[in-house]
Amino acid sequence: QVQLVEFGGGLVQAGGSLMLSCLASGRTSSVFDMGWFRQAPGKEREFVAGISWSGSSTNYADSVKGRFTISRDNAKNTVYLQMNSLKPEDTAVYYCAGGSMNPQGEYHIWGQGTQVTVSS
């Protein structure tokens, strides 16, 4: 069994940066493609970014492309989401998930989420 825990959320002003971390415990996370999703109040959950198990391939939603960077360190069982140039519309609960790196992929493991709030 693998469990995912997100860290690094918080309150930041527009234009600022945050780095989210997703730590996997249990079986190694290196076998999983991983993704980040977010859900804002009253909105559906949406794909943000994905990364292959090796880290060699990444995938981004158009809304974050050029501002967010996904990476991973398999030795630390951790996936990161560096978020720069944050906008108020980035405010959401951010979740990491394991199993795919694509928006429509099958994800079978989810973290509990971490809140990101961007003030204008």
Side-chain angles (χ1 to χ4, degrees):
Q1 294 284 348
V2 177
Q3 293 181 327
L4 302 177
V5 179
E6 299 94 339
F7 300 94
L11 174 65
V12 64
Q13 288 188 332
S17 299
L18 279 176
M19 175 176 273
L20 304 183
S21 301
C22 173
L23 175 65
S25 61
R27 288 184 61 191
T28 177
S29 67
S30 64
V31 298
F32 297 121
D33 293 347
M34 295 288 293
W36 284 97
F37 288 77
R38 66 186 182 187
Q39 187 166 20
K43 295 187 177 181
E44 293 187 354
R45 185 174 59 197
E46 64 173 352
F47 174 83
V48 175
I51 188 167
S52 62
W53 69 271
S54 68
S56 60
S57 297
T58 57
N59 192 12
Y60 295 95
D62 288 343
S63 59
V64 306
K65 203 170 291 185
R67 299 188 298 123
F68 291 11
T69 303
I70 188 171
S71 61
R72 69 190 298 161
D73 184 342
N74 288 341
K76 296 182 179 180
N77 289 340
T78 303
V79 177
Y80 304 97
L81 185 68
Q82 176 66 45
M83 306 185 294
N84 298 328
S85 302
L86 282 161
K87 305 175 182 179
E89 51 263 44
D90 294 319
T91 295
V93 177
Y94 283 71
Y95 301 88
C96 64
S100 179
M101 59 174 288
N102 298 311
Q104 304 303 323
E106 184 175 338
Y107 293 87
H108 48 86
I109 304 171
W110 292 84
Q112 85 291 346
T114 186
Q115 176 71 47
V116 172
T117 303
V118 184
S119 63
S120 58

